[in-house]
Amino acid sequence: ETIVVQELANRMAERAADVVKSLMKMGMMVSMNQAIDADTAELVIEEFGHKAVRVSDSDVEQVIDTVVDSEENLLPRAPVVTIMGHVDHGKTSLLDRIRKANIATGEAGGITQHIGAYQVKTPSGQLVTFLDTPGHAAFTSMRARGANVTDIVVLVVAADDAVMPQTVEAIHHAKAAGVPIIVAINKMDKHSANPTKVRTDLLQHEIVVEAMSGDVQDVEVSAHTGMGIDKLLEAISLQAEILELKANPNRDGMGAVVEAKLDVGRGPVATVLVQNGTLRKGDIFVVGQKWGKVRALLNDKGETITEAGPSTPVEVLGLNGTPSAGDVLNVVPTEAQAREIADYREQTTKDKRAAAGAATTLEQLMAKAKADLNVAELPVIVKADVQGSAEAIVQALEKVGNEEVRVRILHYGVGAITDSDVGLAEASKAPILAFNVRANAMARSSAQQKGVEIRYYSIIYDLLDDIKKAASGLLKAEV
Ligand code: GDP
């Protein structure tokens, strides 16, 4: 029975470097990536003033099937799409239009339920799953919880308004997650529509659409008239083909919670997007810190179904409590095991919360980068008071680095630090570098809660100096 030093540090919410140091004092020379035995771990835990509980994730959670699927078991699955874009550019209208267009071709009188996600068929008969919560806040908070459910981002840009601040944010969020973008140029029914302006605006943000000889698909649509909707669906399935999305339907179901609520009549209900395997009625499962036995499964039309395969959104009934969006669901063999895992998780998060500040500091990031020789990127977010300083900082940061480390700018912008910046920082484990700007109250408290580091500067030189030091691994502990 062993545990890797980094993992032990994580569970204690201590810095791995400190754990290595304390091991050194005990005469053990190990790196963060090496494992130590349980007895040594217990000594370390006591050294840090924590209480050791001799039950590890691997013990408790080993009943969860984590076997990697071999290629021959994989079958194509539907793409999962999130719609992003600036407020009022038509995200909600587009989602509604796509859903309605599909009912018209289906059975008459089909009523859709809002369960947080839905599936439609493209004109050529392929399935596409849409997440019903538009915007990058949901996208990023799911990602922060470890649920990367989105395969493709549809970026909606209103043709009468072109690229706006949240458009840029959405681009950065999608890029940080490595998710491909399809541009939907919306409101084409308007007289003031100027799709060319949208395309040229996007160039400045490194989105080169096909109409400008780039490789990002762009489709002109109108959520009002329905123009271009079929083309958009075809663009999505083309992108999905390129991604070769696959899953193994013949294994225990696993998925992510998209939405969850306590329903007066039905008890706790979670909409789960099945990501792999097949979830069936009667399955016993854990989901985050909750568990249950599938009492009923309902699809996005409110119909009862007996099983749900990969990329299917499904309402799950039979939970012992309400999980959170982003929680992962796994099927396990017995109720006793489900309960044990859920209890164990609840306990460990309590421990983590008790141990204050599991922060993502520059120092920890660099320690991690060094521990794992492949992680040679220091992700950062830059906020500045004016465009000129933001650009100057970004340009200078791009030059920082050596053969081991590079600075990667996930997002930069002008103005106060917002909750959205903090969300991106958390999801990408990046610090926020603030130049002559402050965080708004909400962002401040959420940064504190999420352990996101915000570093304030008023002199560009200081900012660069810190990052240079971090990049060469020289940053001294700053308390
Ligand atoms: P969201 O904030 O991005 O979700 O935007 P909404 O879907 O709420 O749309 C904002 C406004 O734009 C609403 O008044 C819609 O009726 C309008 N709108 C959305 N799509 C279109 C469109 O294709 N054409 C026109 N003319 N108006 C649209």
Side-chain angles (χ1 to χ4, degrees), residues 329-378:
L329 178 145
N330 291 103
V331 169
V332 296
T334 69
E335 279 190 27
Q337 284 161 324
R339 198 190 304 258
E340 187 187 11
I341 296 171
D343 287 351
Y344 173 73
R345 286 179 178 170
E346 196 173 350
Q347 191 52 47
T348 41
T349 42
K350 267 189 203 148
D351 289 352
K352 268 189 197 151
R353 247 181 261 135
T360 316
T361 64
L362 270 179
E363 238 197 321
Q364 285 173 328
L365 277 170
M366 294 322 301
K368 188 165 167 288
K370 279 204 293 188
D372 177 359
L373 288 174
N374 298 320
V375 180
E377 273 187 344
L378 174 60

Side-chain angles (χ1 to χ4, degrees), residues 174-193:
K175 283 194 173 173
V179 175
I181 293 172
I182 294 173
V183 178
I185 306 176
N186 190 32
K187 306 199 185 184
M188 285 302 293
D189 57 289
K190 284 197 158 185
H191 290 302
S192 52

